[in-house]
Structures are given as C-alpha cells and as structure tokens.
Amino acid sequence: MPGVSEAVTDARKAVDRLYGHRVLRRKSPEVSARSALRGARASAALEGVDVPLEAVPEVTDPVIQGALRVSAELGRLGATWRTAPRQVLARLHTLAATGLTENLGRPRAVSDAPDPLDLGPAPGPEETVARVDGLVDLVTSPSKAPALVLAAVVHAELAVLRPFGSADGVVARAAERLTLVEFGLDPKSLVAVEVGHLELGPAYADGLRAYLSGTAEGVAAWVRHCASAVTLGARETTAICEAMQRG
C-alpha cells in the first residue's frame, strides 16, 4: 500500500526514541498512568466531550467516566485480547457505555447506530456480526503484518461497524491501543495514541471515510493516519517524561 511501509518505519522510530528516555528506567509505570489519563481525555473529546485534562477525574459525564474506566482496565485485558477478543470487546463496551445504555456488552440488534463522525449509515446487524467474526480471526491468527497495521485495521473496523450502537469510538480506540501493546510495538502502553488522533483534527474522520472506500489507496491513507497518531502520541509521552525529569 502506498507510503505505508515508510510511515510504519517512522512511527516505530518515534516509539523507539521514547523507550530510550532515561525517566523510563525508574518511572515507567507512572508515565504509563499519565499517558492513559491523557488518552482517556482525548478519546472522550473525539466523542464530543472535551474537558481540560486537570478536570477529567472530577467530571461526572458518562462518556468521560466510561473512557476513564476503559483506560484503567486495559492493563488487565491484554492477555485475553490475543485469545478471546470478543470477550474483551464486550468488557470494553460494558465499561465505556455504563450510563449511556442498558444493553451493555451486547451487539446491536437494529440497523440504526449513532454517527458522531458523519461516516454514513452503519452496516446492518448481520453484516456487522460477520465482519466482527473476521476481526476476531485477524486478532487470534498468526500474522506477519506490523502491529501498527493490525491496530489500524482493528480501530477502523470497530469505528465504522459501530457494533454496539453506543460508545463504539471509545471501544475502537481502546482496542487499537491494546493491539499496539499486545503485538509488540508499545508493550508498556506508553504511547498516547488517542492524543495523536485528536491532534490530527478532521483527518481522523477523513481517514475513516477513506478506509470505508475499500480501495488500497483509502486503506493506506488510514494506516498512514494511524502512524502519524502513534508518532504524535509518542511525542506527547516524551513531553510527560521531560516534565517529570524537570521535577
């Protein structure tokens, strides 16, 4: 796919530079926690609930609270993601959508689904189930594809399918982060990739629309977007490290 190999290489270099930061020798868990908080805030902002970082822990909005619960749980879901991704997706939705729907963790049974990114109508329930089955096979089967490419496909499929009909964006971005962790690009979950998506502004929705085209060029555009988000997310976490180093 055009430009994908170069974009993946550049993103990998950005992550490698981050992992070389001296602060991580002593404070990697703290950096990961701060990255997770920023990621939760950014994921909620992409859902339309944008609040200052310092206000996030006290905000009672269910979207913010759902993103925080998802972020806090990711570390315990990693091993299961490779073996039982459907179970993990149900758990992520239960965490993300509490207070938004009563159908927690259950696939939608109707064709209508919210469209916060203006992507167009979601696929019907039968097509959605079939494509989620394909996604499960992708995650559980051996693959030589780079972790970033797998993560990009996971994110896009969940974002465009909207399999639950609520909080699907939060679930999609969490699944992307899990894939980056469990497939080896970011094993310590340091990269605030959600922040990268937010910083790229309208390119986030544009990239998903390109993916929806189904063409090689469209899919490549989305993967390049995700590579840029990883690079920006690594930059965000580097800034966290620098701030901690200064004290």
Side-chain angles (χ1 to χ4, degrees), residues 11-116:
R12 163 63 77 178
K13 289 178 180 178
V15 175
D16 288 345
R17 286 194 297 271
L18 167 63
Y19 270 69
H21 201 288
R22 65 179 63 186
V23 164
L24 296 175
R25 299 172 192 169
R26 307 181 310 277
K27 298 183 177 181
S28 177
E30 184 178 348
V31 173
S32 179
R34 294 191 183 190
S35 167
L37 178 61
R38 284 160 172 76
R41 180 255 166 192
S43 194
L46 287 164
E47 292 295 290
V49 183
D50 193 352
V51 300
L53 181 65
E54 60 274 12
V56 167
E58 286 76 38
V59 173
T60 59
D61 184 277
V63 175
I64 289 280
Q65 289 300 313
L68 287 172
R69 286 190 295 269
V70 164
S71 181
E73 186 85 355
L74 281 184
R76 292 186 284 272
L77 296 175
T80 310
W81 180 237
R82 296 289 295 266
T83 58
R86 204 186 309 274
Q87 176 183 331
V88 172
L89 291 174
R91 178 60 178 161
L92 289 173
H93 183 253
T94 298
L95 294 166
T98 295
L100 298 173
T101 180
E102 295 181 357
N103 297 317
L104 297 174
R106 287 181 283 179
R108 59 181 170 85
V110 297
S111 295
D112 291 337
D115 188 15

Side-chain angles (χ1 to χ4, degrees), residues 144-202:
K144 294 182 180 180
L148 194 152
V149 174
L150 289 173
V153 172
V154 166
H155 182 162
E157 282 292 292
L158 292 170
V160 302
L161 292 176
R162 288 160 270 167
F164 298 104
S166 58
D168 292 299
V170 173
V171 171
R173 290 181 287 275
E176 177 189 29
R177 188 158 181 158
L178 268 178
T179 306
L180 292 173
V181 170
E182 293 304 313
F183 284 80
L185 180 62
D186 180 25
K188 295 182 179 179
S189 193
L190 298 173
V191 177
V193 62
E194 305 91 341
V195 174
H197 288 302
L198 181 63
E199 287 190 7
L200 288 167

Side-chain angles (χ1 to χ4, degrees), residues 7-15 17 148 191-193 196 199 224-238:
V8 168
T9 297
D10 289 345
R12 163 63 77 178
K13 289 178 180 178
V15 175
R17 286 194 297 271
L148 194 152
V191 177
V193 62
E199 287 190 7
R224 293 196 304 269
H225 166 88
C226 289
S228 296
V230 166
T231 299
L232 290 171
R235 186 182 69 181
E236 176 75 9
T237 308
T238 300

Side-chain angles (χ1 to χ4, degrees), residues 132-152:
V132 170
D133 287 344
L135 186 61
V136 167
D137 289 342
L138 179 69
V139 173
T140 56
S141 301
S143 174
K144 294 182 180 180
L148 194 152
V149 174
L150 289 173

